[in-house]
Amino acid sequence: LTLLPVKLLSVFLLGLVIAAGYGGDSNPLLNFSPTFIWIIWWVGMSITVALVGNIWALVNPWKIAFGWVEGAYILVRPGQGLSLGREYPAGLGIWPAIVLFLLYTWIQDAYPKGDVPTQIATMAVVYSVINFGGMFIFGRDQWLRKGEAFTAVFGLLARFSATEVRVNDRGACQVC
């Protein structure tokens, strides 16, 4: 409950990136989406995670949104989860996360329209569909551990942190 405002802000910011990308100014310098994604979120979250610890595990908007929808689904259909519960193929390892991160890096560094707000919004929607699909097929925690690029990257960066987040109750954070 104490994290609820932070979680609401996280999901709101994802929605704002998409809304500003499609409905805001087309000039990247005047639009919220490019500045937020490439500077505030990517650089800011990377530095914060490396210094403070893996706060991404607490503020991942896809994890939060899926959890909320799954919680509502469980209220309607008690005893049933939202996921199909398929076993994640062991042979895939974390390759989906690596491929998605390499694609993200290519978009950031080489894609000529990487600063175009509508392109950023479309990429956010596509990435959301990939993540929600992965969580639906394999389960939230299984997909986040193996398929979600930023959970993998920020988890790696958090290993450089001077502090560490420890969870004594494994039920509180399945990805931690």
Side-chain angles (χ1 to χ4, degrees):
L1 190 60
T2 58
L3 287 176
L4 183 61
V6 174
K7 290 179 176 186
L8 286 169
L9 178 63
S10 180
V11 174
F12 171 76
L13 287 171
L14 175 61
L16 184 59
V17 164
I18 295 167
Y22 287 132
D25 199 302
S26 62
N27 182 343
L29 298 174
L30 301 175
N31 191 294
F32 172 79
S33 294
T35 302
F36 181 78
I37 289 298
W38 300 123
I39 299 169
I40 298 168
W41 176 76
W42 174 236
V43 174
M45 183 63 70
S46 298
I47 292 170
T48 302
V49 164
L51 293 174
V52 176
N54 194 2
I55 63 168
W56 180 249
L58 302 174
V59 299
N60 179 336
W62 298 285
K63 174 185 172 184
I64 294 165
F66 190 86
W68 288 344
V69 172
E70 188 171 45
Y73 184 79
I74 290 170
L75 287 176
V76 174
R77 302 194 104 161
Q80 293 184 351
L82 187 57
S83 168
L84 296 176
R86 300 263 165 80
E87 190 64 34
Y88 184 85
L92 281 180
I94 64 163
W95 280 106
I98 292 170
V99 168
L100 287 170
F101 185 69
L102 290 174
L103 182 60
Y104 173 82
T105 303
W106 177 81
I107 290 167
Q108 174 188 344
D109 296 337
Y111 182 56
K113 295 182 180 181
D115 65 338
V116 176
T118 55
Q119 294 291 311
I120 290 171
T122 299
M123 289 181 274
V125 168
V126 168
Y127 192 73
S128 296
V129 168
I130 290 168
N131 279 312
F132 292 140
M135 287 186 272
F136 176 71
I137 294 168
F138 301 112
R140 183 179 67 176
D141 299 325
Q142 198 169 189
W143 176 255
L144 290 173
R145 272 193 302 273
K146 304 284 186 168
E148 204 273 307
F150 301 106
T151 298
V153 170
F154 293 140
L156 177 66
L157 288 174
R159 292 175 183 242
F160 295 98
S161 173
T163 62
E164 180 179 8
V165 175
R166 289 188 185 215
V167 178
N168 293 328
D169 178 11
R170 295 299 286 165
C173 183
Q174 296 294 322
V175 181
C176 298

